[in-house]
Structures are given as structure tokens and as C-alpha cells.
């Protein structure tokens, strides 16, 4: 941290020497240790020593940003000069600003020191469990890392925030395979700050492996119909992020194209839906502590009991539109669980599908979406009949959340999000 | 351009190991104007040095953000140690790598730093033109983006060299309202290989293309939803390229083949109509530079074309040195890395469906009820060959003529089934190069193709 403090002081002195009216800098050093396995065999051990500095200047109401990855005094000086120069070439805008002073802050989270042999052993355990418990699952790739990050953020308003954090990340890609028959890609992952639990028991790891294996039992979807879609935690997270971007995000609010532009305080979704960004939640590993604008991060409700609480605006968008800023720029998603056990919810479905994830790109400006339901299963009269492929779903984003059949009691925590499953009616489902 | 501080380091390569030492710098510049406001004005550079060592069946990789001779030594030692850690704990049996031509590749381009002020002024001029000429728009976004890679490689058992890859683009996004008041969006991308002055002269030079985009936008505002279901369509060149990349390209990357992709059992078999041939070009396509030329990959393999489908027969896969050894074929230079901190992965370069002999106007005239799909903004593919991509610009075909524009839709299918339905291929090829492919790391890719008549699943209402 001492080296980083010296580098940060260099940057601050340089900004003062340049006469920058407002400035903010982030400096970071990190060390990543990563183990990779391909087709079930460990193949690569990767170590990355990284560092970066970013400098943003607001001068005469003009803004510019420059990033580099050399923390030497000469290079830091150059980054600050270039940010100053870049600001000079920009356009005036009253909305540019940094957060007011949050004072001196210090954070320490997670597990900064890696235990590589223990990590290797936990990963070996996971590989062995997959082979033993899911013999029809082929583990295509396993990418698992420990990251240690040390950082300093400061701005001209007086905030100086130091942070040390460390975490383990595990990502798997796999498919169900039997002879020449293969399912599509399945993927899952977890973020943890200790190695005290087997990875198989965390997040959606076990469930996703079961789905991959079960997906080999495939059926053909009958004709196009309007039915119920059950969103797994991964799929629900996808749709909620799309909802946030299409209806609540800075761009669409500034453009004026959001369908929820003037609906804060109104019922926009089913009353059972509560969507929050909760970086301070204990279930979130190494959550955000200082926003990109320089605010101390807060837990934020975007939708509470179906009512739109606020748009998801950064400081620039807030200043531009005269709307409140959100003191959270992370994606640490928490969706409140419901009160229906999954089994009971499935039992209520006459015709529909379970969707593992959605391959359809971004919805259009009016919220229409159309894409492929991946890792999907067909449900009829409350029973899953088999896996399906080449199935498309179409609809409108906000309508999904106004036609909720139920939200499960069961919630899945993967270190980045806490998300239940959800079923929604009225979605067009079409096969070939 | 990167200074060569790595010369002479080959003496430090561990005996018996296959080693690559790479100096690597990425630069990016970005300006975003949203309704005339500068919402993003950024410059970024990151450089470092890495070592990639293959020893006794395992790989070790280490990188440092300090581009110094001392850190080159440090990462070599760390990568070698990492390979040993793994080979001792988890030994693998891998065939010996085939020999690779040992030559020296020289830079084929330069990176030119354009002052940020010039980029902002260019975008503002475009924005002013848009405001003046298209008052029906409710919003507009103008983005200038450029990224470049500068790489110096020294290897123990392959080629060495210095490879430079600059590219730059202007994205223009129009927003307007459909007749029912719902928002409609349309985007076009201009630019390609090289630096700012290679691609852009004056803002006025883009006026005809902006006018054409505005016309499409007006038609899209009057547009209709496609009818969901399987249809006869003409895929425009941009979509043919997306198909080549997503639907076929990923399934024939050898790591995914080994992972069980549908292409594995299909080598040497008919997977497409005999009218379809598909090549992953290295640096030259159709007698001219490919959209994003690659001369040397990040394992030190000189890049050459990979013929993937010939006359409908699947003829090959794309390889790293290890996968090429496993399949008993030469490597063609498909192992690429995005940043200095990234290890090489099997990636596409410039993936094209080759042109045929038919004329687009004849193809349109041949369809009684279908669609002409022109532009796309994204795509994904799967092991099974199932693909989807978004369609942002298209038109109905009614009784052999173009009809109403389409609102955004999606197409999907199973690649090797859908390609067998191709029954006409135009003689005109369109190339695209602005995108990134995501697969653990991003990488710039080029793609393209001709217009193709085929049957495909269309998402709609």
C-alpha cells in the first residue's frame, strides 16, 4: 500500500501543479493466480501482475479521462497532463462533477492472500465430484482464480479511499454428452472469500450440472403457443439487468426514450417484485465500496413491491436530468425471494418452458425482445417432460414483470448476486 | 510503437520447453456524443510483458505491467515455474508439437496517435449535420472508437516478429418514433483497418451514408414485425458474415471440437449446400488486405488461411499448436491474445463465406413471401451449432419485390441444417471488422460474406 500511496500523492501533486479545478484518480495494483483445466485436465497456471492508473479532470466545465498502467512518477505525470489536455479539447457541460467529500475511508474485504495448494485441492475435488456424480457431463473448461487487489481513489473534493480485497472466482463451462449426442453450453460460477465449502454446494453449480445431464433427455416442442416461462436464477438476472438498462439506465433517461421516464413512484411491476443493488450485503463477496462517481456506496432499491423507486442514474445523468443520483455503480443484484416453493410453482404450470439463459442480445428501445431460450426444458401439466432446443421466446420486457405467476422461496447466492427463480405468463414460445 | 527490449532474452528460455516472450501494448480512444453532449472522452493505454511456457504437457503463463527487461526475466522465470507446478501435480500426455516455420515478421502498419481534440471536433461536425438534416429524430448518438495492438514476440521454436493492428470506427445511432409512438433505433458503423486519417477524411464525406441511414430509419419507423416462424430469406453479407463467425466458426475452433461440438464427427462430411465455402482468412482476402490482417499469432506461428468448408464439405478446424498436434495437422496461426495479461486462445481472424455467381436482384425477385435481412448487431452460437443473431435492418419481400421495413427481430437455427438450405449465393461480398468476439477474452475479428438465399427461423410476433 505504501508504494500505491506514494504514486497517488504524485498524481495529486501533479494535478495541483497543472492547476486542474477538479480531478479524480484511481490507482490500483493487483495479482491474479489462475488455474485452468480443459476437457477435465489441468492445462495452464497463469499469474498476472497488473496495475493501472486512471485520471479524470474537469476544468472550465470540460472533462477528459486517461488511463494507463505504468505507476512510475513520469508516467503518472503524463497521464495527468493528458487528462488535462483531453478535457481542454472537450465541450462545456454544467453536469460534469465528482461526488462531494466522503473524507478518508479505508476498506478491507475478503481474503487477500491466496492459498494456491488448497485452491488446487478444492478444484480437484470439484472435478472428481463432477466425474462421479454427473457421468454424462463433459467439463469443457474450468477457469479458477484468486485476485488480490489494492487500490486508492481520491478526488479534489477531499475523498481519499483505500481498499485491500481478495477473492476466489470459479467459472465452469460444460455440456451433457452421451456418445455423439451433445447438449448446448452450460455455464455457472461462484465468487467466494474462503475455501471452507466445496464449490459443488455453492450458487447454482449443482443445479446447472443436473440440468446439463437431464437436458440429454430431449423432446420436441409442439406448435407455437403463449405460455409460462420459468426463469432460472441466471436467466432472471439477465432479464432484470436488461430491464434496468432499458427502462432505468442513464442513457435511456438522458435520451428520453425510456418507457418509465416519468413513472417513479408508480406501480410498474407485480407487487411481489423487489429488485435491489446491495453491494454491502454480507452475501455479496467484495462488494463495491466507493462508486465510480466517488460516493460511499449504498444499498439501493430500484423496484420495491413493484413500485419504481428510482432510475439507475450516475452523477452525470442525475445532474443532466435533474433527477436523484444513485450511490451505487455496481451490479450486485439482490432480488427478494417469494413465498412459493419451486415444486409448487412448477405444479401450477399447464404449458411452458424453463429457461437457463437467454441468447438474444439487447431488447430494442421499446423493450421488445426476441431470442433463443437456451438450456431449456418443456413443462406440461406441472411436469418437466424433457430438454428442448431451437426454441425462441418473444415478448416485451416490462410485461414479463407484470405477469408474474410466482417467485420461489428458494434463492441462490453465488457471491455476486442473490436471486430466486420466477415464473411469468403470457410469453410467446415457438419451436421449429 | 513498442520499443524492442526483449532482444537477447531467448538465451533465458528453459531447455526443452516451448517458450514465447511477448511485449504487448493496447491503446484505445473513445469519444461519445449523446444528443450533442460529450458523455465520454477517454484515452487508454496498457502495456506489459508476458511469457508463455509449455513444458512436459503443461502451460505456465506470467505477465507484468512493467514493460522492462528486468520484468521480462521475472515473467519468464514465473511462467516456467508455473508450468512445472502443474506438470508435477497434474501431468498430461500431449503429442509433440509440429515444427513451425522460423522467420521474422515485420510490422505491416503503423499506429498514429490522433489528437483527442480532432476526434471530438469530427464527432461534433457529424452531430451538427445530423441535427440539421434529420429533424424527425428524437435522439442521436455519435461514437468514435479506436483500438490497436502492438506486439513483439520472441519464441524458442517458432517465428518472431513485430505485429501492429490498428483499427478505428464511427458508430452512428439514430432514435426516432414509430407511428404508434414507440421508440425505434437504428445504427450504422463506418471505418476499418488503420488510423483515423486512413479511414476518415472530412465529416462531409460521410454525408451520403448518413442520408442513406436516415432513409432506412424513416422506413423502419413505418415498419412491421416479422412473422415468427421458418421463412425463406435472403441474408445480406453482414449477416452471412455473422453466420460464418457464430454458426460455423465457433463450432470448428478445435478446443470446442474437443469439448464436443457438433463439428467433431462431421469432418469430411457434407455440412452445407455445395454452394457454400467458408475460409478464415489470415491477412489477404479476394486479392486485397483482409478486414483485420493477422500476420503472426501469439504462439509465433505465421498466419495463413484456414479453409473450413469447401463446396459444402467440412474440411478443417482452427488450431493452436497443441490442438494441431493432437489432430496431426499444421497450425495456421489462430492462437491470439487480446491484452498483455492474456494467454493465447484459439480465435477466428477474418471469417468469410465465399461469393457465388447469383445476382441479388434475381434472388429477391425469386421470393414470393419472405424477408431480406441486411444488418445485425450481435450474435451467439453453441456447441450444437444452434445460433442466433439480432437483425436490426430488414425488409419484407412480397411477390418478388421489397416491401415494408422490419422492426428489430432475431434469427436462429442449427448451422449445419440451415446451411444445407442455401440455394443461391450472390457474387458480391461485404466485409465487417468493428466487432469483438468474446471467449474468456475479447478479440477483434473480421467477418463477411455474400447475400445468400436460405430457410431460417425468424423471431417475431
Amino acid at each position: 500500500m505504501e508504494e500505491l500511496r506514494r504514486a497517488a500523492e504524485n498524481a495529486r501533486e501533479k494535478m495541483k501543479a497543472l492547476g486542474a479545478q477538479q480531478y479524480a484518480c484511481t490507482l490500483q495494483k493487483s495479482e491474479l493466480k489462475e488455474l485452468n483445466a480443459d476437457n477435465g485436465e489441468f492445462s495452464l497456471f497463469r499469474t498476472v501482475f497488473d496495475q493501472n492508473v486512471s485520471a479524470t479532470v474537469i476544468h472550465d466545465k470540460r472533462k477528459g479521462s486517461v488511463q494507463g498502467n505504468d505507476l512510475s512518477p513520469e508516467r503518472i505525470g503524463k497521464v495527468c497532463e493528458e487528462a488535462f489536455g483531453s478535457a481542454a479539447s472537450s465541450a462545456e457541460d454544467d453536469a460534469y462533477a465528482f461526488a462531494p467529500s466522503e473524507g478518508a475511508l479505508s476498506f478491507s474485504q475478503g481474503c487477500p492472500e491466496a492459498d494456491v495448494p488448497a485452491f488446487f485441492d478444492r478444484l480437484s475435488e470439484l472435478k472428481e465430484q463432477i466425474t462421479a456424480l454427473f457421468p454424462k457431463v463433459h467439463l469443457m473448461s474450468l477457469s479458477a482464480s484468486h485476485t488480490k487487489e489494492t487500490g486508492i481513489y481520491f478526488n479534489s473534493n477531499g475523498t481519499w479511499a483505500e481498499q485491500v480485497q481478495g477473492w476466489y472466482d470459479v467459472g465452469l463451462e460444460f455440456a451433457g454428452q452421451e456418445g455423439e449426442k451433445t447438449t448446448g453450453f452450460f455455464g455457472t460460477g461462484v465468487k467466494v472469500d474462503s475455501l471452507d465449502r466445496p464449490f459443488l454446494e455453492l450458487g447454482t453449480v449443482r443445479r446447472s450440472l443436473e440440468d446439463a445431464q437431464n437436458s440429454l433427455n430431449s423432446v420436441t416442442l409442439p406448435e407455437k403457443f403463449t405460455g409460462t416461462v420459468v426463469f432460472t436464477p441466471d436467466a432472471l438476472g439477465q432479464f432484470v439487468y436488461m430491464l434496468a438498462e432499458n427502462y432505468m439506465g442513464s442513457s435511456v433517461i438522458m435520451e428520453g426514450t425510456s418507457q418509465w421516464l416519468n413513472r417513479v413512484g408508480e406501480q410498474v411491476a407485480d407487487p411481489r417484485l423487489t429488485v435491489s443493488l446491495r453491494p454491502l450485503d454480507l452475501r455479496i463477496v467484495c462488494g463495491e465500496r466507493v462508486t465510480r462517481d466517488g460516493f460511499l456506496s449504498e444499498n439501493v432499491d430500484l423496484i420495491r413491491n413493484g413500485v419504481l423507486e428510482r432510475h439507475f442514474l450516475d452523477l452525470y445523468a442525475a445532474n443532466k436530468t435533474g433527477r436523484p443520483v444513485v450511490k451505487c455503480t455496481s451490479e450486485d443484484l439482490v432480488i427478494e425471494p417469494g413465498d412459493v416453493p419451486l415444486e409448487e410453482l412448477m405444479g401450477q404450470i399447464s404449458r411452458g418452458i424453463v429457461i437457463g439463459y437467454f441468447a438474444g442480445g439487447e431488447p430494442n428501445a421499446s423493450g421488445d425482445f426476441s431470442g433463443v431460450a437456451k438450456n431449456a426444458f418443456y413443462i406440461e401439466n406441472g411436469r418437466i417432460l424433457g430438454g428442448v432446443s431451437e426454441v425462441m421466446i418473444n415478448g416485451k420486457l416490462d410485461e414479463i414483470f407484470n405477469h408474474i405467476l410466482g417467485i420461489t422461496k428458494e434463492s441462490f447466492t453465488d457471491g455476486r448476486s442473490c436471486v430466486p427463480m420466477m415464473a411469468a405468463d403470457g410469453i410467446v414460445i415457438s419451436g421449429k | 510503437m513498442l520499443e524492442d527490449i526483449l532482444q537477447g532474452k531467448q538465451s533465458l528460455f528453459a531447455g526443452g520447453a516451448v517458450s514465447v516472450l511477448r511485449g504487448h501494448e493496447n491503446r484505445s480512444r473513445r469519444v461519445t456524443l449523446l444528443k450533442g453532449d460529450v458523455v465520454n472522452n477517454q484515452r487508454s493505454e496498457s502495456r506489459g510483458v508476458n511469457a508463455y511456457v509449455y513444458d512436459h504437457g503443461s502451460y505456465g503463463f506470467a505477465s507484468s505491467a512493467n514493460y522492462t527487461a528486468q520484468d521480462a526475466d521475472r515473467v519468464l522465470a514465473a511462467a516456467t515455474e508455473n508450468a512445472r507446478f502443474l506438470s508435477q501435480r497434474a501431468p498430461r500426455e500431449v503429442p509433440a508439437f509440429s515444427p513451425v516455420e522460423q522467420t521474422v515478421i515485420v510490422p505491416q502498419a503503423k499506429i498514429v496517435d490522433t489528437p483527442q481534440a480532432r476526434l471530438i471536433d469530427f464527432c461534433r461536425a457529424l452531430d451538427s449535420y445530423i441535427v440539421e438534416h434529420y429533424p424527425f429524430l428524437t435522439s442521436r448518438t455519435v461514437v468514435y472508437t479506436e483500438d490497436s495492438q502492438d506486439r513483439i514476440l520472441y519464441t524458442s521454436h517458432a517465428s518472431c516478429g513485430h505485429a501492429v493492428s490498428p483499427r478505428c470506427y464511427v458508430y452512428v445511432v439514430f432514435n426516432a418514433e414509430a407511428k404508434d409512438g414507440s421508440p425505434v433505433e437504428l445504427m450504422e458503423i463506418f471505418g476499418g483497418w488503420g488510423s483515423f486519417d486512413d479511414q476518415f477524411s472530412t465529416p462531409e464525406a460521410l454525408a451520403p451514408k448518413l442520408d442513406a441511414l436516415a432513409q432506412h430509419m424513416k422506413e423502419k419507423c413505418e415498419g412491421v414485425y416479422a412473422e415468427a416462424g421458418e421463412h425463406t430469406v435472403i441474408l445480406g453479407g453482414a449477416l452471412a458474415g455473422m453466420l460464418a463467425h457464430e454458426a460455423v466458426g465457433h463450432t470448428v475452433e478445435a478446443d470446442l471440437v474437443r469439448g464436443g461440438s457438433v463439428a467433431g464427427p462431421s469432418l469430411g462430411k457434407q455440412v452445407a449446400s455445395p454452394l457454400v465455402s467458408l475460409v478464415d482468412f489470415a491477412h489477404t482476402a479476394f486479392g486485397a488486405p483482409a478486414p483485420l490482417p493477422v500476420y503472426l499469432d501469439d504462439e509465433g506461428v505465421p498466419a495463413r488461411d484456414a479453409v473450413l468448408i469447401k463446396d459444402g464439405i467440412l474440411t478443417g478446424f482452427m488450431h493452436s499448436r497443441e490442438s494441431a498436434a493432437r489432430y496431426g495437422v499444421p497450425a495456421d496461426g489462430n492462437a491470439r491474445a487480446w491484452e498483455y495479461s492474456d494467454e493465447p486462445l484459439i480465435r477466428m481472424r477474418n471469417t468469410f463465406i465465399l461469393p457465388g455467381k447469383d445476382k441479388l436482384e434475381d434472388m429477391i425477385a425469386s421470393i414470393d413471401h419472405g424477408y431480406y435481412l441486411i444488418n445485425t448487431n450481435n450474435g451467439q452460437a453453441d456447441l450444437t451449432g444452434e445460433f442466433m443473431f439480432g437483425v436490426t435492418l430488414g425488409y419484407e419481400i412480397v411477390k418478388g419485390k421489397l416491401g415494408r421495413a422490419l422492426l428489430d427481430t432475431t434469427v436462429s437455427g442449427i448451422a449445419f441444417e440451415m446451411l444445407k438450405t442455401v440455394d443461391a449465393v450472390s457474387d458480391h461480398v461485404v466485409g465487417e471488422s468493428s466487432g469483438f468476439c468474446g471467449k474468456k477474452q475479447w478479440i477483434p475479428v473480421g467477418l463477411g460474406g455474400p447475400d445468400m438465399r436460405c430457410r431460417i427461423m425468424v423471431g417475431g410476433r
Side-chain angles (χ1 to χ4, degrees):
Chain A
M1 181 61 83
E2 261 321 302
E3 184 192 342
L4 213 56
R5 282 193 190 119
R6 282 197 298 274
E9 287 294 351
N10 283 338
R12 187 157 63 175
E13 289 312 307
K14 185 64 183 181
M15 288 294 195
K16 288 179 181 171
L18 287 166
Q21 289 163 352
Q22 297 181 69
Y23 51 85
C25 293
T26 303
L27 297 95
Q28 204 171 63
K29 283 179 82 84
S30 65
E31 186 175 324
L32 174 115
K33 295 185 165 75
E34 183 185 86
L35 289 157
N36 291 270
D38 293 318
N39 297 299
E41 294 180 317
F42 283 109
S43 55
L44 169 70
F45 182 11
R46 175 169 163 250
T47 307
V48 174
F49 301 99
D50 202 359
Q51 57 200 27
N52 58 72
V53 53
S54 77
T56 304
V57 167
I58 301 172
H59 192 85
D60 292 338
K61 301 183 186 179
R62 299 166 193 262
K63 182 177 173 186
S65 295
V66 174
Q67 288 177 321
N69 71 334
D70 185 337
L71 298 185
S72 64
E74 301 73 31
R75 187 60 203 155
I76 284 182
K78 197 150 185 301
V79 165
C80 293
E81 280 171 15
E82 286 183 12
F84 191 83
S86 185
S89 59
S90 181
E92 278 189 25
D93 195 328
D94 287 325
Y96 295 134
F98 301 116
S101 177
E102 300 276 16
L105 305 166
S106 179
F107 304 103
S108 177
Q109 296 191 80
C111 52
E113 300 309 319
D115 183 347
V116 175
F119 193 27
F120 183 89
D121 290 342
R122 271 286 184 224
L123 295 171
S124 299
E125 173 190 64
L126 176 62
K127 286 199 311 105
E128 285 156 19
Q129 286 172 326
I130 291 173
T131 302
L133 299 172
F134 306 100
K136 294 181 186 173
V137 169
H138 177 66
L139 182 62
M140 294 167 53
S141 86
L142 170 67
S143 182
S145 62
H146 178 274
T147 303
K148 174 181 179 176
E149 216 172 69
T150 311
I152 294 176
Y153 168 89
F154 70 87
N155 68 30
S156 50
N157 292 332
T159 300
W160 181 281
E162 298 183 355
Q163 178 158 259
V164 178
Q165 55 182 1
W167 67 89
Y168 295 94
D169 243 316
V170 179
L172 302 85
E173 275 188 352
F174 45 93
Q177 285 178 3
E178 192 165 30
E180 281 190 5
K181 190 174 181 190
T182 185
T183 69
F185 285 117
F186 280 75
T188 187
V190 292
K191 183 179 180 186
V192 299
D193 56 11
S194 83
L195 297 175
D196 58 2
R197 291 180 63 197
F199 295 129
L200 186 65
E201 304 311 323
L202 303 176
T204 58
V205 176
R206 180 183 284 274
R207 193 196 159 78
S208 298
L209 290 162
E210 285 169 353
D211 283 349
Q213 189 151 273
N214 292 338
S215 188
L216 283 165
N217 170 31
S218 58
V219 298
T220 303
L221 198 77
E223 73 290 344
K224 178 166 90 177
F225 64 96
T226 300
T228 306
V229 173
V230 178
F231 297 83
T232 61
D234 286 335
L236 183 57
Q238 260 188 302
F239 275 82
V240 167
Y241 285 131
M242 290 197 291
L243 189 76
E245 195 165 316
N246 251 55
Y247 291 84
M248 302 178 246
S250 289
S251 290
V252 292
I253 301 301
M254 286 194 292
E255 281 171 4
T257 55
S258 163
Q259 308 275 281
W260 291 355
L261 189 63
N262 297 309
R263 299 200 62 194
V264 172
E266 293 182 16
Q267 198 81 30
V268 295
D270 188 290
R272 288 168 287 180
L273 184 70
T274 294
V275 174
S276 310
L277 300 171
R278 304 185 70 81
L280 310 182
D281 194 303
L282 292 177
R283 297 167 294 177
I284 301 294
V285 173
C286 296
E288 179 191 79
R289 288 295 179 263
V290 177
T291 75
R292 286 194 294 270
D293 296 319
F295 289 106
L296 190 57
S297 298
E298 294 177 352
N299 292 334
V300 167
D301 290 339
L302 296 178
I303 296 173
R304 174 148 287 283
N305 301 325
V307 174
L308 180 64
E309 293 283 310
R310 53 187 55 80
H311 297 122
F312 185 28
L313 301 182
D314 60 20
L315 184 57
Y316 176 77
N319 288 343
K320 202 74 190 162
T321 59
R323 296 167 190 253
V325 66
V326 162
K327 294 179 184 178
C328 175
T329 46
S330 75
E331 293 180 348
D332 300 320
L333 179 67
V334 175
I335 300 174
E336 292 291 321
D339 54 7
V340 183
L342 174 62
E343 200 175 323
E344 186 182 319
L345 182 60
M346 296 286 273
Q348 298 174 25
I349 297 168
S350 56
R351 278 222 295 181
I353 62 167
V354 178
I355 173 176
Y357 77 91
F358 175 71
E362 293 300 315
N364 71 9
S366 54
D368 292 312
F369 69 89
S370 168
V372 180
K374 304 294 291 183
N375 306 343
F377 294 87
Y378 177 56
I379 308 166
E380 203 172 78
N381 297 323
R383 283 181 52 236
I384 288 180
L385 297 189
V388 286
S389 62
E390 292 192 83
V391 171
M392 294 189 83
I393 57 173
N394 308 286
K396 209 153 171 298
L397 260 187
D398 57 343
E399 285 178 12
I400 294 176
F401 296 96
N402 277 292
H403 290 90
I404 293 176
L405 177 63
I407 299 176
T408 64
K409 280 176 70 163
E410 296 91 338
S411 187
F412 297 80
T413 298
D414 65 3
R416 290 190 161 85
S417 61
C418 307
V419 179
M421 293 176 65
M422 186 188 89
D425 291 327
I427 298 175
V428 176
I429 302 167
S430 50
K432 192 159 178 183
Chain B
M1 306 270 279
L2 269 185
E3 179 197 343
D4 187 350
I5 55 156
L6 307 180
Q7 205 166 37
K9 295 293 180 189
Q10 282 153 306
S11 60
L12 298 175
F13 290 162
V18 177
S19 302
V20 180
L21 189 61
R22 169 168 37 109
H24 189 138
E25 179 178 74
N26 285 42
R27 288 190 188 194
S28 77
R29 307 286 185 252
R30 192 169 180 99
V31 173
T32 306
L33 268 64
L34 173 61
K35 291 169 88 167
D37 292 322
V38 178
V39 300
N40 194 358
N41 173 22
Q42 256 188 333
R43 298 165 65 84
S44 164
E45 287 161 27
S46 80
R47 67 163 61 176
V49 61
N50 67 65
Y52 187 49
V53 172
Y54 177 77
D55 195 10
H56 289 99
S58 295
Y59 288 94
F61 179 95
S63 69
S64 167
N66 292 317
Y67 185 61
T68 64
Q70 203 173 3
D71 274 59
D73 298 346
R74 183 178 167 216
V75 298
L76 252 178
T80 307
E81 183 53 40
N82 286 351
R84 283 197 188 128
F85 172 95
L86 214 50
S87 66
Q88 283 162 8
R89 284 173 182 258
R92 296 194 303 158
E93 292 287 330
V94 181
F97 292 176
S98 305
V100 166
E101 181 190 0
Q102 299 195 20
T103 184
V104 177
I105 304 293
V106 298
Q108 304 289 325
K110 284 199 305 196
I111 294 170
V112 177
D113 199 10
T114 307
Q116 200 79 354
R118 215 168 142 218
L119 306 177
I120 294 173
D121 288 344
F122 189 85
C123 290
R124 293 179 80 183
L126 290 179
D127 188 72
S128 298
Y129 182 90
I130 292 166
V131 168
E132 186 188 337
H133 287 83
Y134 317 129
F136 71 97
L137 297 178
T138 55
S139 180
R140 74 276 175 198
T141 308
V142 178
V143 181
Y144 175 82
T145 178
E146 69 174 65
D147 56 74
S148 65
Q149 289 184 299
D150 188 349
R151 300 175 290 124
I152 293 175
L153 271 85
Y154 284 92
T155 72
S156 59
H157 295 80
S159 292
C160 305
H162 189 166
V164 175
S165 316
R167 62 175 191 164
C168 60
Y169 304 92
V170 166
Y171 289 62
V172 174
V173 182
F174 287 168
N175 298 90
E177 278 182 359
K179 43 189 190 272
D180 64 358
S182 57
V184 177
E185 186 176 283
L186 189 61
M187 180 176 76
E188 185 61 77
I189 305 171
F190 313 107
W193 178 256
S195 300
F196 178 79
D197 283 315
D198 296 320
Q199 285 294 331
F200 302 108
S201 52
T202 62
E204 293 73 29
L206 284 179
K209 293 183 180 176
L210 293 175
D211 293 344
L213 181 66
Q215 182 56 37
H216 281 305
M217 184 61 172
K218 283 183 178 161
E219 290 162 2
K220 192 174 176 181
C221 287
E222 302 287 323
V224 295
Y225 287 104
E227 202 180 284
E230 194 179 51
H231 293 279
T232 299
V233 307
I234 295 172
L235 295 182
L239 276 93
M242 186 63 82
L243 191 77
H245 178 95
E246 292 294 346
V248 180
H250 279 301
T251 63
V252 297
E253 290 171 328
D255 49 346
L256 298 188
V257 174
R258 234 184 126 220
S261 99
V262 67
S266 303
L267 191 63
K269 297 184 181 163
Q270 194 86 33
V271 295
S273 151
L275 297 176
V276 174
S277 295
L278 200 155
V279 176
D280 183 62
F281 293 108
H283 44 74
T284 306
F286 314 111
L292 297 179
V294 174
Y295 294 91
L296 182 71
D297 82 357
D298 291 306
E299 288 186 312
V301 177
R304 55 187 185 195
D305 299 344
V307 179
L308 303 172
I309 295 178
K310 187 165 168 46
D311 303 327
I313 308 272
L314 183 65
T315 53
F317 304 135
M318 289 173 281
H319 289 286
S320 63
R321 291 195 73 184
E322 177 185 320
S323 71
R326 288 183 183 275
Y327 284 88
V329 297
D332 289 325
N334 281 97
R336 306 170 65 199
W338 172 228
E339 291 191 306
Y340 76 90
S341 52
D342 289 327
E343 77 277 21
L345 301 176
I346 298 173
R347 310 309 295 266
M348 287 174 262
R349 300 160 307 181
N350 298 279
T351 318
F352 276 73
I353 293 176
L354 302 188
K357 299 185 167 67
D358 299 298
K359 296 292 179 194
L360 174 61
E361 51 269 29
D362 297 336
M363 290 159 68
I364 292 174
S366 73
I367 294 174
D368 193 52
H369 173 65
Y371 300 107
Y372 176 37
L373 306 176
I374 300 170
N375 219 343
T376 175
N377 59 356
N378 70 84
Q380 294 182 38
D382 205 336
L383 278 185
T384 55
E386 186 176 35
F387 65 90
M388 66 69 54
F389 36 88
V391 178
T392 53
L393 180 64
Y395 287 84
E396 294 175 311
I397 299 176
V398 181
K399 296 189 191 329
K401 293 189 186 329
L402 293 184
R404 296 169 295 181
L406 297 177
L407 296 169
D408 289 347
T409 187
T410 315
V411 293
S412 68
I414 302 281
F416 292 155
E417 288 175 16
M418 176 259 152
L419 283 173
K420 288 175 183 154
T421 72
V422 172
D423 61 6
V425 178
S426 81
D427 59 0
H428 173 66
V429 166
V430 162
E432 218 287 311
S433 66
S434 63
F436 280 97
C437 174
K439 179 181 169 181
K440 194 187 179 197
Q441 316 155 10
W442 296 111
I443 202 84
V445 289
L447 47 86
D451 308 290
M452 301 196 305
R453 188 174 63 204
C454 58
R455 298 278 298 170
I456 203 165
M457 283 290 288
V458 179
R461 291 239 174 130

